Amino acid sequence: MAHQRLLVLLGDQLSVDLLQYADRDNDLILMAEVMEEATYAPHHKKKIAFIFSAMRHFSQELQSMGWQVHYSRLDDVDNSGSICGEIRRLVEQNAIEQVIAIAPGEWRLLQQLQALANDINLQIYEDPRFICSRTEFVDWAEDRKLYRLEDFYRLMRQSTGLLMVDRKPEGGKWNFDQDNRKALKTGTDTPVPARFKIDAISAEVVELVEERFSDHFGLLDDFWFAVTHEQAEQALDLFIEQSLPLYGDFQDAMLTGNDFVYHSVISMYINSGLLDAIDVCQRAEQAYRSGHAPLNAVEGFIRQIIGWREFIRGIYWLKMPAYVESNYLETHRALPAFYWTAETDMHCMQQAISVTQREAYAHHIQRLMVTGNFALIAGIDPVQVHEWYLSVYADAYEWVELPNTIGMSQFADGGVVGSKPYAASGNYINKMSDYCRSCRYDVKKKFGEDACPFNYLYWHFLHRNRDKLGKNNRLFHPYRTWDRMDEEKQQQYLASAEVFLDTLN
Ligand code: FAD
Ligand code: DLZ
Ligand code: SF4
């Protein structure tokens, strides 16, 4: 059958919503496993297996719905190795007159597609899966000096109508975060996310990944992710039923040996297209309206999706391509090898990195307040930190990973995403987790050989960045505490930090 148009669907565009740009009777869909996408970052093995398996399942689903799909497998002999190469090949082989693509999530790939559009008739459409389009965000940002999540979030609540009553926020407040900072008791039994048996498609993909990407980071055994829309829906149902009611209370909690706490573990499904963001939020809202989950939990959860997720994407497109070069704090230290091995005596770091190795997942507080916080206060080069986060998580695409890392976590953008750096001493980790109890370091000790490295690195960070952070109102109290310390104590903090930082080199 001759096709006049080709619709390209990328590995994170597995949504039936995107079929609105094509015509089932006349158009051909292209999906392609390609080495360039699988290796532009050393992606975790489970991330590649997840994407390839979900792509293969979606291609089958599309065909059973009557769509014509050309699916390039990684090992096809004529696979050109890149998305643009595969588009060119299909255009030539099928005498295609027009190619339709949906704006990719990464600047890198958008540049490639725009270059290709100089040679072939290629139309790039806006991705309709986001609430706030790239141009709407630019309009929102245009009139303001500071971009603050809270302002943007209120707008998203109004435009979606989620948790709104008569144009006012449900419960009389926009944000219930102050109720959401509880720690958990050691040994608390928390639910586990839905796990799915590996089927023939996933088994084949796992074998392919083991063979072709054996040098990539991460463990592939016990692959349990949802790989179809139906399975992802089941994972969401289970989260809403079991975990959502306590999601708010324990959103910042961490526990030894507990990988997921009450988190949803659905970011990889939303980002790849297996779940729809608005639908997820509506389901959470229903759980509140039916009395199944309290407002602090549901508001907190919805804020992450229509607030943070959309805000972060807006910042990415507003600030790229220069954003990736941001290094406000001028840090240049290499990323320590233990980020790849989990071999460290810091128990909190060992826990956060080992779940990353096993599951291509870590929850937000592990990413922000453990691995991110350490990189920040130790002064690691932000590009190396960014490359690590982009590689190791199943939900990582540059549009969402980069502003979270460069902005929220490393303050390398100088305050575009957040108003102050998320720097903390061991005290925070001790308050929100039980990690310190089984650590070789002593969280109560401030300096010296056995002291928790987060304690002295925190003060070293504030001291060495005084010219850049000293005038930040939100850091007034820590700087005042530092200034009131006697000089000998200050010197002990700084000396311990120097000794420790030398061991990282
Ligand atoms: P939950 O805690 O259950 O939250 C629900 C949903 O809200 C998530 O599934 C996600 O879709 C959304 N969400 C929550 N926080 C954020 C946020 N800050 N930005 C965007 N969406 C958010 N998230 C990614 O999806 N991809 C990334 O590559 C990524 N990199 C990060 C890097 C760093 C340094 C930090 C600090 C955060 C990063 N995040 C990233 C945000 C957040 O940590 C993950 O979305 C979350 O941990 C995913 O787990 P979950 O589905 O269990 O989330
Ligand atoms: C992440 C990824 C991987 C590992 N492999 C592929 C692939 O083979 N084919 C594909 O279409 N997409 C893949 N992806 C997702 C893309 O990298 C993603 O679409 C871009 O980074 C834009 O977000
Ligand atoms: Fe982490 Fe310090 Fe606690 Fe050890 S003592 S777990 S290094 S915060």
Side-chain angles (χ1 to χ4, degrees):
M1 179 175 164
H3 298 281
Q4 289 181 332
R5 297 196 308 178
L6 182 72
L7 171 69
V8 183
L9 289 182
L10 299 168
D12 55 353
Q13 296 181 335
L14 310 180
S15 310
V16 280
D17 264 8
L18 303 179
L19 301 173
Q20 61 181 278
Y21 295 114
D23 167 8
R24 186 167 45 188
D25 297 329
N26 297 306
D27 298 342
L28 178 65
I29 292 178
L30 167 64
M31 297 176 70
E33 294 168 8
V34 291
M35 275 313 267
E36 186 169 284
E37 293 310 307
T39 55
Y40 74 87
H43 304 293
H44 192 298
K45 294 194 197 87
K46 265 192 177 133
K47 176 181 182 184
I48 304 178
F50 164 63
I51 292 170
F52 284 6
S53 178
M55 285 174 72
R56 290 185 185 192
H57 281 92
F58 190 50
S59 146
Q60 278 196 349
E61 198 181 322
L62 289 173
Q63 289 175 60
S64 68
M65 287 157 65
W67 290 86
Q68 300 279 318
V69 181
H70 174 94
Y71 191 91
S72 307
R73 284 174 165 241
L74 192 76
D75 282 338
D76 287 348
V77 281
D78 48 1
N79 188 320
S80 62
S82 71
I83 295 295
C84 290
E86 288 304 273
I87 296 175
R88 264 186 205 287
R89 193 162 72 83
L90 267 276
V91 167
E92 281 159 22
Q93 275 173 9
N94 297 275
I96 300 282
E97 283 172 13
Q98 192 188 23
V99 178
I100 299 163
I102 292 100
E106 302 197 348
W107 178 269
R108 166 191 67 82
L109 200 49
L110 180 64
Q111 294 303 106
Q112 291 183 20
L113 288 174
Q114 284 171 341
L116 187 65
N118 293 327
D119 294 353
I120 64 174
N121 180 6
L122 167 66
Q123 174 101 27
I124 304 171
Y125 288 99
E126 181 69 18
D127 190 331
R129 296 174 299 173
F130 292 90
I131 304 160
C132 183
S133 72
R134 290 178 292 168
T135 46
E136 282 165 347
F137 192 87
V138 171
D139 290 345
W140 175 82
E142 214 165 51
D143 319 330
R144 30 197 102 222
K145 274 206 196 114
L146 286 177
Y147 313 131
R148 288 296 161 247
L149 178 272
E150 203 53 39
D151 301 338
F152 175 78
Y153 167 57
R154 290 177 189 190
L155 203 66
M156 293 300 100
R157 285 275 293 279
Q158 281 157 340
S159 74
T160 57
L162 284 160
L163 292 179
M164 297 295 291
V165 207
D166 298 331
R167 302 196 55 75
K168 295 211 173 69
E170 182 74 38
K173 276 200 303 186
W174 294 99
N175 182 320
F176 290 82
D177 235 6
Q178 81 217 36
D179 305 343
N180 291 358
R181 308 236 163 85
K182 299 191 176 86
L184 270 174
K185 284 207 180 81
T186 302
T188 307
D189 225 2
T190 62
V192 277
R195 301 172 79 87
F196 299 90
K197 275 209 186 106
I198 205 163
D199 66 3
I201 293 180
S202 293
E204 200 181 354
V205 161
V206 164
E207 205 176 302
L208 173 78
V209 172
E210 206 60 278
E211 206 179 287
R212 299 291 299 274
F213 305 99
S214 58
D215 56 335
H216 281 219
F217 173 80
L219 301 179
L220 191 47
D221 31 304
D222 193 20
F223 179 84
W224 53 269
F225 293 168
V227 287
T228 64
H229 293 94
E230 198 184 332
Q231 289 178 342
E233 293 291 342
Q234 287 169 22
L236 173 64
D237 284 344
L238 195 66
F239 161 71
I240 289 178
E241 186 194 319
Q242 313 184 122
S243 302
L244 180 61
L246 291 173
Y247 175 86
D249 286 358
F250 301 110
Q251 204 177 342
D252 290 1
M254 300 177 279
L255 272 189
T256 298
N258 187 321
D259 294 339
F260 309 107
V261 198
Y262 294 98
H263 290 272
S264 64
V265 200
I266 57 166
S267 47
M268 69 275 209
Y269 307 144
I270 303 184
N271 294 351
S272 60
L274 294 188
L275 287 176
D276 175 70
I278 282 289
D279 183 54
V280 167
C281 294
Q282 285 168 342
R283 302 263 290 279
E285 182 178 18
Q286 255 167 33
Y288 165 68
R289 303 236 175 260
S290 69
H292 174 65
L295 188 54
N296 72 310
V298 173
E299 185 282 314
F301 180 70
I302 287 178
R303 175 161 24 92
Q304 306 311 312
I305 299 179
I306 65 168
W308 278 112
R309 187 170 181 272
E310 295 282 331
F311 178 71
I312 284 287
R313 176 178 182 258
I315 296 287
Y316 179 75
W317 289 108
L318 187 72
K319 295 291 176 186
M320 280 299 277
Y323 200 59
V324 73
E325 312 279 336
S326 317
N327 192 353
Y328 178 69
L329 299 176
E330 298 177 84
T331 52
H332 302 286
R333 193 179 304 283
L335 188 78
F338 57 70
Y339 273 77
W340 300 104
T341 62
E343 285 164 17
T344 163
D345 286 343
M346 290 177 281
H347 188 231
C348 52
M349 291 290 281
Q350 186 278 332
Q351 286 285 301
I353 299 168
S354 77
V355 60
T356 305
Q357 276 180 322
R358 278 180 285 110
E359 307 291 15
Y361 177 85
H363 62 73
H364 188 66
I365 294 304
Q366 289 176 313
R367 296 187 207 196
L368 185 65
M369 299 312 295
V370 180
T371 46
N373 179 21
F374 181 83
L376 173 71
I377 60 181
I380 311 298
D381 178 350
V383 169
Q384 293 192 30
V385 183
H386 148 57
E387 284 168 357
W388 185 78
Y389 281 102
L390 181 60
S391 308
V392 302
Y393 292 115
D395 57 22
Y397 302 92
E398 201 181 73
W399 67 266
V400 54
E401 174 277 327
L402 188 71
N404 266 304
T405 304
I406 289 281
M408 187 190 297
S409 159
Q410 299 303 295
F411 206 71
D413 63 5
V416 176
V417 167
S419 53
K420 76 171 178 101
Y422 280 95
S425 68
N427 190 33
Y428 174 87
I429 295 172
N430 192 33
K431 208 168 75 194
M432 295 316 301
S433 78
D434 63 356
Y435 292 157
C436 304
R437 282 186 225 161
S438 27
C439 185
R440 104 124 179 87
Y441 296 105
D442 185 344
V443 73
K444 300 284 178 216
K445 284 199 177 148
K446 308 292 179 203
F447 29 70
E449 215 206 312
D450 293 332
C452 165
F454 283 82
N455 289 344
Y456 44 73
L457 288 177
Y458 173 74
W459 290 115
H460 192 269
F461 165 80
L462 286 181
H463 174 71
R464 73 174 182 265
N465 288 304
R466 185 139 204 171
D467 58 334
K468 298 206 164 72
L469 303 175
K471 294 205 168 64
N472 185 318
N473 285 338
R474 300 197 60 198
L475 295 175
F476 175 77
H477 289 293
Y479 276 114
R480 195 173 57 174
T481 307
W482 175 253
D483 290 340
R484 285 177 176 177
M485 248 179 238
D486 65 60
E487 205 183 320
E488 193 189 331
K489 199 169 170 188
Q490 287 180 339
Q491 288 313 319
Q492 279 173 305
Y493 273 121
L494 297 180
S496 291
E498 294 291 343
V499 170
F500 181 85
L501 289 172
D502 275 349
T503 68
L504 295 182
N505 289 336

